[in-house]
Amino acid sequence: MPTATAPVPSRSDLAAAALAESALASNSAEIRQNLHHLTLSDARLAPLGQDLANSTLDDPIQYREASKKLLSRGSLDPLLKRRLTKTVDGDPLSRADGHILDHRHTLFAHTFNAVTEPLGTSVFSGMTIAPYKVALSAVKWAIRMLETDPLTVPERQALTLRKHFLDVHPQAEQAPKIRNQVEAAQEDLHATRRRQLLAHAGEAERSDQPRLARVYAQRAELEVPGDSQAQTIIARADKKIARQNRLRGRTLQAANATPDDLDLPSEQLAHAALEPNMDAGLSRLALHRPTAVRRVSESLLLPDSNLFANARALREADTENELGDEADFIQAIGSHEAGNEKLAWRQFDDVARRLPDRSNMARHATALVTDPWQNPYGSFLVEQSRQRREETVWYLFGETAVPRFKALPQAAGYVLATPQMAQALATAPLRHLMGSGGKKPNFEKGMSVAAYRYLERFPNGAYRSELIPWLYGYEEDQENWSKALRLADFQPGFDPEKRAEIVETMGRERLKAAGKIRRRDTRSHVLRNFARDFPDSDAGASAGNLARTEVEEASPQTIRMTRGFLYENPEIAGPNGLGLREQYLDEDTANGELHPRGVVFLGGRIVEFDFVEPGGDEEAEPIRIQRPISSERLSRTISTLEEQTFLNARLDHEAEIDPDARRDLYFERARLGLTHQVDHRPGAHSNFVYESMREKYGMVRARESILPFDLVLQGSVADLSLGAFPRWRAPKAAPDAFLYR
Amino acid sequence: MRNRLHPTTGARKKMRWIVMAVATGATLSACSASKQREAAVYGPTESVIEVIAVLRRHVPDDTYRFPAASDFTKRNVYRSTLLRLENLEKVHADALRAGHMDAAVAFAKGRSLERLRAYDLAAEHYRAAAKKSPRLRDEAVRSAEVNERIHRANKVGIRLPDPLPPAGKRDPFPTDSDHVLAELDDRSARLSGLIDLYPDSHYVYIVREEIERTDVVRAQYFAAMRHALPGGQVRAISELQRVASRHVSSKYHRRHLLDVANFYARMAEEYTQANPPESLRFDPVVFQELVEAAMQIYQTVAAEDGSPEKIEAGRRLEAFLAFTLQVDRDRFTK
């Protein structure tokens, strides 16, 4: 209820209130009348009033038209101008056209660069190679054009916007035209998806996954019914799947002989009892089972059976050496169980190398030898040879990659990469001498996985003493200090000084990482753990101190406004906000000045004011004064702060404040005066900082060049080229482009 | 040799010119920025008009079919309006104390609150606006009534339980599914009645959203109770499909489809837990049906451009395919 001291509203205030009410009630006659009154009482308010009247049009198209008209009047205040401009620019059809323009612009940029780059890099290297470079660039350009999807991402964005327009305005004047555009684009979208799915199907085929290839090809056929390429892939995949099924069926085949048959002399069992398509040799072996074989088979299944004796018995019973590989296999198992790991894998490897049609144990031995979990050391050796191979290729050819195309066969990639590979090969020594070969990839990752797997599987295995030092060296190279320390502890006689050095290095890393953890409870936990695990190290002591400081200085919130921010937004520090004395923000340290850290909301009603110390040293630690302020003042300060930041964001998009739900939750509660219940949950803590524009962007903000291209000076050791050329800037991808890929 | 720390007079002059030019440029740009800022500082009346204009433009929006608009802070426009009106009431408390804007502010808050599902609060604000302004009375009273009826309707039947309720406030689902169904049908009927009463107002969209939520509650009830009710699995899947088919034009249609796919995926996982693929109980045909149903829906949603559900469906499909890799290939053929 108005109090006696309430200021009397002016005529324009009353007219504005009346207009607002009639707009909310959607009474058009009253809107016209009140707008007229408002314009007569305060011409300055007329554009805002007109916009309010326009907002009752209830049709986005009409509102945009009305906003355009209002904008064309000129002399609008900057906030209204920006808002209306944004409204007009938000037209989905204009935005769709903008995306189409972006698509064309990108094509132009690629074409332009395809000409200027080879010419520019040929000038200094001698124009004699220019034709070659231009030709190569033309081929690359042609491939790029071929590779461009029938409907590119910007075009897909345009399609979605046009569809949205049709959803909202199905009866609009432009609807028939837009409908045609949508239909045409929809066909291209199907073609694009078909192409992407076929590319996936091709990859699946190359990696010998016919079932996956079939799924992708079937989906491609759904996009473009009757597509011949998809059908070909399906047919090929079907063939492969059928072959796999045949082979799998064969692995499951067995003799039909029953256990009783095994007691009979082998000659009495007819060959007809076996599967018709089974290998004749194997059939004979399967049937030729004397009683001794049965005894060995049973004995193998018993606990504590003597595998070596069984292998020997099998050999003795098998006068024709038909069961020799079974005996060898049993022998290898025996060696493995006896702890003779090296010998066992040599024996398994020996069986695995036999011809599968001569030995029915070869496939079992191969499965064991190639299984990375059964034979982790073997897997380590395989990874080692792969690593050597890949490292050599990297040394010789650098980062030259063979391109993969969606529209062209793989051979085209090799053809295109050949000149680059030749250049890279010729300049390899120079490249490595100058250290310009780029960062060396981690080729040993596979080896480390196999080595860890080995240690996990065989903690006391024969290769432990070889693998632990190797892993230590690997982790040290990768700067994984905690892993290196663990591996060092597994090595007897490890240098204690080196160990202490690792602990300190690891501690420094851990402290750095802890500093980046947002939640104070997690941060404190990490610090406490480190201090407890390494109490004798300097890093451990630092971690302990930090953990203590965390506890001592913990506050439910740490939302800070820097002094620079308060300089730029004096309203927040003024009587409508914190109510700070002017002298604390007059850039004169003699009469008391806020420290550059500024003011911190600590949660509840507590606010910390940081002041420069009496000596005036701004670099020194501030004098911190923590005071509770009244709920009303806190609530008003936060409202003023938010309104100021909204205002700044509308005037300058770079002044936009990053979202922070925890900060907003605290503000919301403070605005409602609910600060008596302090939210102590660590997850509710915000450490948001309001900074001035200068603190954010420095003295001079980076601006984008007004030229549509960049001037590039390019030199390459790989192909010994040097050149300068203009590179046309393609438009940046829209922020939501990831939703269209 | 020239001393770099003490340049010659000519060099000094040059430097002075440069410093002056930079200073002049900076002053001019600062002046123009501060002028712009001054022009942009709104008084209480301008601020309220601005906020109401932004809100009024979005009052007729169909928030059932399309997502709610966002303002320059990228916040939901209705939430942003509410926050800004509250800020303005604090910042311009003195100027607004006369109460000339009270009715408009209260009504605008009502319009915002009803889009944020705070129907009881919205009704209170409408009642307050109706008392203060004869101009707004009719519309405010009507809006208050609609909001109260929606609020009353929403109180009928069960609600989706909070997965992390405050201690001692756990409210388990009732097991009498017929009763639950009858109540939810009653809620839907009450809400549908409002559409017939106000067919040309923006309340049609608000009420449709509430009906959609009621359908979701119903489906989620059966999904949660599927092990406790006879034929629970089939009922749950049919209820989830019912939501997807009844709300094809909803902005949440893709989300409803994802719910169906997720349910199939969850059933496939539960099936493998109950019947490990290597066990003799595992039936590849049953598993295959669950997998195909989930994959087909994921693929459909993943093909929809421009929505976050596209990403979610794509990633879930990948995750689900990874899960199926655990099943031996002689027990499951993709």
Side-chain angles (χ1 to χ4, degrees):
Chain A
M1 196 174 160
T3 61
T5 54
V8 179
S10 65
R11 264 183 66 207
S12 61
D13 288 340
L14 293 173
L19 177 64
E21 287 177 13
S22 47
L24 285 167
S26 303
N27 187 331
S28 17
E30 276 193 17
I31 291 171
R32 269 196 303 277
Q33 194 187 344
N34 289 323
L35 179 61
H36 182 65
H37 289 161
L38 181 70
T39 314
L40 288 179
S41 58
D42 189 347
R44 207 171 46 88
L45 286 175
L48 270 173
Q50 182 61 58
D51 175 56
L52 178 56
N54 292 344
S55 72
T56 61
L57 287 170
D58 289 354
D59 177 6
I61 297 177
Q62 281 184 30
Y63 178 70
R64 271 194 295 274
E65 287 305 318
S67 297
K68 260 187 215 169
K69 211 168 145 188
L70 190 55
L71 270 173
S72 65
R73 273 201 216 168
S75 71
L76 303 182
D77 71 76
L79 287 186
L80 181 61
K81 198 172 166 185
R82 273 170 204 266
R83 184 155 59 81
L84 296 182
T85 311
K86 212 171 171 184
T87 303
V88 172
D89 293 347
D91 174 17
L93 292 184
S94 316
R95 283 169 59 207
D97 291 343
H99 284 304
I100 298 292
L101 191 69
D102 276 356
H103 161 69
R104 291 178 184 154
H105 188 175
T106 307
L107 290 184
F108 169 77
H110 290 161
T111 312
F112 180 88
N113 296 337
V115 177
T116 56
E117 195 168 330
L119 284 177
T121 49
S122 305
V123 172
F124 293 102
S125 324
M127 286 304 279
T128 43
I129 59 163
Y132 160 72
K133 282 201 165 183
V134 171
L136 193 64
S137 179
V139 171
K140 281 185 184 171
W141 176 85
I143 289 173
R144 179 173 242 168
M145 293 299 124
L146 265 176
E147 283 289 294
T148 304
D149 285 329
L151 202 72
T152 58
V153 168
E155 288 175 312
R156 287 167 81 162
Q157 287 170 312
L159 171 64
T160 305
L161 284 166
R162 284 171 178 160
K163 276 185 187 169
H164 177 73
F165 178 84
L166 287 178
D167 280 346
V168 182
H169 311 286
Q171 308 299 332
E173 196 185 321
Q174 308 95 314
K177 184 185 155 201
I178 304 298
R179 215 161 269 131
N180 290 340
Q181 287 174 331
V182 165
E183 276 168 22
Q186 199 65 43
E187 270 180 36
D188 287 343
L189 183 61
H190 285 304
T192 302
R193 288 205 190 118
R194 167 205 162 264
R195 192 176 178 174
Q196 287 171 346
L197 288 165
L198 287 181
H200 288 315
E203 268 175 37
E205 266 195 312
R206 278 191 292 278
S207 55
D208 202 24
Q209 291 178 291
R211 284 176 178 78
L212 195 58
R214 193 174 192 282
V215 170
Y216 281 126
Q218 277 175 332
R219 281 175 58 193
E221 211 193 349
L222 283 179
E223 294 290 343
V224 181
D227 182 67
S228 60
Q229 207 178 332
Q231 284 170 345
T232 313
I233 293 179
I234 292 171
R236 267 203 309 263
D238 280 344
K239 254 188 198 172
K240 273 193 180 175
I241 292 167
R243 185 170 174 273
Q244 280 183 353
N245 286 342
R246 262 201 319 277
L247 289 173
R248 198 184 300 159
R250 205 180 134 185
T251 62
L252 298 174
Q253 283 170 0
N256 285 342
T258 60
D260 291 341
D261 298 332
L262 295 177
D263 286 334
L264 302 171
S266 58
E267 292 75 27
Q268 290 183 14
L269 290 171
H271 280 252
L274 294 175
E275 292 294 325
N277 58 350
M278 193 173 177
D279 182 84
L282 289 177
S283 301
R284 198 159 57 78
L285 272 175
L287 289 171
H288 193 77
R289 296 171 195 233
T291 313
V293 175
R294 187 185 167 196
R295 263 203 311 278
V296 168
S297 307
E298 286 169 357
S299 165
L300 279 175
L301 295 170
L302 295 172
D304 303 327
S305 73
N306 186 337
L307 295 172
F308 296 120
N310 281 324
R312 211 166 34 246
L314 202 59
R315 276 199 200 96
E316 281 165 9
D318 176 29
T319 48
E320 293 172 22
N321 199 25
E322 285 173 337
L323 297 170
D325 55 340
E326 278 88 349
D328 292 345
F329 195 83
I330 295 167
Q331 180 88 21
I333 297 173
S335 302
H336 201 271
E337 288 191 2
N340 203 342
E341 202 183 324
K342 291 183 183 177
L343 175 67
W345 285 114
R346 264 206 307 278
Q347 289 168 336
F348 280 129
D349 195 46
D350 176 51
V351 179
R353 285 169 192 279
R354 293 176 195 172
L355 292 172
D357 57 345
R358 298 256 166 214
S359 160
N360 51 4
M361 294 312 287
R363 58 187 180 173
H364 299 293
T366 307
L368 272 181
V369 168
T370 54
D371 187 325
W373 272 103
Q374 296 294 332
N375 182 17
Y377 185 73
S379 163
F380 176 80
L381 294 178
V382 169
E383 285 295 327
Q384 191 176 43
S385 62
R386 189 189 55 78
Q387 170 256 329
R388 285 178 185 150
R389 204 169 52 242
E390 286 182 0
E391 200 167 338
T392 310
V393 169
W394 177 80
Y395 184 84
L396 295 175
F397 299 108
E399 286 166 354
T400 312
V402 177
R404 283 187 178 280
F405 303 115
K406 283 181 271 185
L408 294 171
Q410 185 55 31
Y414 281 103
V415 170
L416 208 67
T418 303
Q420 215 180 337
M421 286 166 87
Q423 278 174 349
L425 187 64
T427 56
L430 190 62
R431 200 170 55 236
H432 291 286
L433 201 68
M434 293 176 69
S436 63
K439 191 172 180 264
K440 187 179 169 184
N442 180 5
F443 295 112
E444 293 172 328
K445 199 170 183 179
M447 286 171 73
S448 73
V449 170
Y452 276 119
R453 198 174 277 165
Y454 178 87
L455 293 176
E456 196 180 330
R457 188 114 207 218
F458 308 109
N460 298 310
Y463 300 102
R464 172 194 154 94
S465 55
E466 177 193 336
L467 292 181
I468 288 181
W470 183 88
L471 274 173
Y472 169 76
Y474 169 78
E475 297 297 359
E476 197 181 20
D477 287 348
Q478 298 298 315
E479 299 183 355
N480 292 332
W481 301 111
S482 55
K483 286 185 179 175
L485 181 69
R486 191 167 153 71
L487 290 157
D489 287 343
F490 277 115
Q491 297 177 64
F494 191 84
D495 181 7
E497 278 184 22
K498 178 76 185 163
R499 189 187 182 281
E501 196 185 308
I502 295 173
V503 169
E504 292 301 341
T505 317
M506 182 179 72
R508 280 196 296 275
E509 298 275 316
R510 203 68 73 82
L511 290 181
K512 212 159 92 183
K516 289 179 189 163
I517 299 173
R518 197 195 62 77
R519 280 181 67 129
R520 62 170 186 271
D521 54 339
T522 318
R523 196 168 54 234
S524 182
H525 182 72
V526 169
L527 292 170
R528 276 203 314 271
N529 277 357
F530 190 78
R532 193 190 56 221
D533 292 347
F534 303 98
D536 299 334
S537 66
D538 291 346
S542 306
N545 288 336
L546 279 173
R548 196 174 312 117
T549 314
E550 284 275 343
V551 174
E552 284 168 2
E553 294 186 359
S555 62
Q557 299 294 339
T558 328
I559 302 166
R560 187 159 64 89
M561 295 180 285
T562 65
R563 185 181 66 184
F565 179 76
L566 292 173
Y567 281 157
E568 280 182 6
N569 300 280
E571 296 82 359
I572 300 165
N576 245 345
L578 292 164
L580 279 176
R581 287 185 200 163
E582 275 180 34
Q583 66 195 62
Y584 296 147
L585 283 165
D586 63 356
E587 303 189 41
D588 180 6
T589 50
N591 58 5
E593 188 73 4
L594 271 186
H595 189 271
R597 265 181 59 82
V599 177
V600 192
F601 295 106
L602 295 175
R605 290 188 292 113
I606 309 295
V607 180
E608 178 183 291
F609 300 90
D610 292 350
F611 288 97
V612 176
E613 61 171 14
D617 183 3
E618 298 201 336
E619 302 291 316
E621 274 294 296
I623 297 172
R624 296 162 192 244
I625 297 175
Q626 295 181 1
R627 291 275 182 277
I629 59 171
S630 70
S631 300
E632 292 76 39
R633 184 169 288 283
L634 180 66
S635 155
R636 206 169 55 228
T637 304
I638 282 168
S639 295
T640 310
L641 167 63
E642 286 209 320
E643 278 301 304
Q644 275 303 310
T645 51
F646 291 165
L647 173 70
N648 296 344
R650 279 178 292 168
L651 289 176
D652 182 353
H653 74 94
E654 287 184 339
E656 274 174 19
I657 296 295
D658 292 333
D660 183 342
R662 292 172 294 271
R663 173 201 66 199
D664 290 352
L665 177 69
Y666 170 67
F667 281 3
E668 205 170 305
R669 293 176 66 81
R671 204 184 294 111
L672 295 171
L674 299 174
T675 42
H676 54 282
Q677 293 171 336
V678 180
D679 194 343
H680 285 289
R681 291 174 300 173
H685 175 259
S686 165
N687 51 6
F688 190 84
V689 181
Y690 287 93
E691 287 178 305
S692 67
M693 295 300 280
R694 188 175 288 185
E695 284 163 333
K696 259 189 186 172
Y697 300 107
M699 282 289 278
V700 183
R701 285 197 240 169
R703 295 278 179 215
E704 224 168 61
S705 164
I706 50 165
L707 294 173
F709 51 80
D710 300 316
L711 288 170
V712 181
L713 182 66
Q714 192 183 64
S716 167
V717 179
D719 56 3
L720 296 174
S721 66
L722 179 68
F725 56 89
R727 180 183 284 156
W728 200 276
R729 271 198 306 273
K732 282 182 191 159
D736 64 342
F738 72 101
L739 295 176
Y740 296 82
R741 294 201 171 100
Chain B
M1 194 179 175
R2 282 180 188 172
N3 186 340
R4 279 175 187 274
L5 291 174
H6 301 283
T8 57
T9 320
R12 268 188 206 159
K13 270 186 183 170
K14 257 187 196 171
M15 265 174 75
R16 207 174 291 159
W17 274 110
I18 292 168
V19 169
M20 276 174 70
V22 169
T24 314
T27 314
L28 281 175
S29 82
C31 283
S32 116
S34 74
K35 246 187 183 177
Q36 198 186 31
R37 199 183 158 89
E38 268 172 33
V41 173
Y42 279 176
T45 303
E46 291 103 310
S47 298
V48 173
I49 291 187
E50 184 204 20
V51 175
I52 290 178
V54 172
L55 169 74
R56 180 59 191 81
R57 193 187 149 205
H58 293 292
V59 166
D61 283 2
D62 184 350
T63 45
Y64 170 73
R65 289 180 64 201
F66 308 109
S70 55
D71 77 340
F72 63 93
T73 61
K74 314 266 190 315
R75 277 189 178 119
N76 174 307
V77 76
Y78 307 108
R79 186 173 153 69
S80 168
T81 299
L82 191 65
L83 291 178
R84 288 212 62 206
L85 286 173
E86 282 179 353
N87 278 341
L88 294 176
E89 281 179 323
K90 301 277 180 201
V91 175
H92 301 298
D94 287 338
L96 296 174
R97 207 185 306 154
H100 57 290
M101 282 289 186
D102 283 2
V105 169
F107 193 92
K109 279 187 179 179
R111 285 281 191 250
S112 303
L113 285 162
E114 66 192 13
R115 296 288 184 146
L116 302 174
R117 302 196 69 216
Y119 302 112
D120 48 346
L121 279 178
E124 272 178 34
H125 281 88
Y126 282 130
R127 296 270 178 219
K131 270 187 203 163
K132 287 175 185 168
S133 163
R135 205 176 277 120
L136 286 172
R137 186 168 299 130
D138 291 349
E139 182 56 32
V141 168
R142 191 180 71 122
S143 297
E145 274 170 14
V146 179
N147 274 282
E148 280 159 358
R149 290 177 77 161
I150 298 174
H151 182 63
R152 278 200 299 274
N154 279 350
K155 279 188 162 177
V156 177
I158 58 164
R159 284 191 220 170
L160 284 182
D162 180 354
L164 299 169
K169 290 211 170 176
R170 200 171 150 72
D171 199 9
F173 272 146
T175 47
D176 183 354
S177 61
D178 291 339
H179 182 66
V180 168
L181 212 55
E183 282 187 334
L184 290 176
D185 284 344
D186 180 24
R187 189 199 291 183
S188 285
R190 286 171 185 231
L191 291 167
S192 303
L194 287 172
I195 294 183
D196 300 334
L197 273 179
Y198 307 102
D200 298 322
S201 77
H202 66 281
Y203 285 111
V204 172
Y205 314 129
I206 296 176
V207 169
R208 274 193 193 144
E209 284 185 275
E210 285 305 329
I211 293 174
E212 183 183 22
R213 280 191 197 103
T214 307
D215 289 341
V216 170
V217 170
R218 180 175 150 154
Q220 292 301 332
Y221 169 78
F222 282 103
M225 299 294 287
R226 66 191 200 278
H227 294 299
L229 299 174
Q233 307 287 353
V234 177
R235 184 67 196 260
I237 205 78
S238 69
E239 288 291 338
L240 287 167
Q241 281 170 342
R242 174 177 172 271
V243 178
S245 59
R246 263 170 69 97
H247 299 282
V248 177
S249 54
S250 158
K251 62 179 179 287
Y252 292 127
H253 179 59
R254 296 183 197 97
R255 163 70 35 212
H256 300 324
L257 287 175
L258 274 181
D259 284 345
V260 180
N262 290 343
F263 190 79
Y264 277 121
R266 199 161 65 216
M267 287 223 291
E269 282 174 34
E270 284 178 4
Y271 185 76
T272 55
Q273 282 161 3
N275 308 289
E278 63 277 11
S279 77
L280 302 180
R281 289 200 307 268
F282 183 84
D283 182 352
V285 179
V286 173
F287 184 70
Q288 184 101 29
E289 277 173 8
L290 294 172
V291 168
E292 275 175 5
M295 277 175 53
Q296 206 176 346
I297 302 172
Y298 281 140
Q299 283 168 5
T300 309
V301 180
E304 293 272 335
D305 270 354
S307 71
E309 287 88 359
K310 173 193 174 84
I311 308 286
E312 188 181 336
R315 301 290 185 272
R316 278 188 185 271
L317 178 62
E318 275 178 34
F320 188 59
L321 285 174
F323 154 72
T324 61
L325 290 178
Q326 295 170 29
V327 181
D328 291 347
R329 63 181 189 178
D330 61 328
R331 307 294 271 162
F332 167 61
T333 312
K334 268 203 295 269

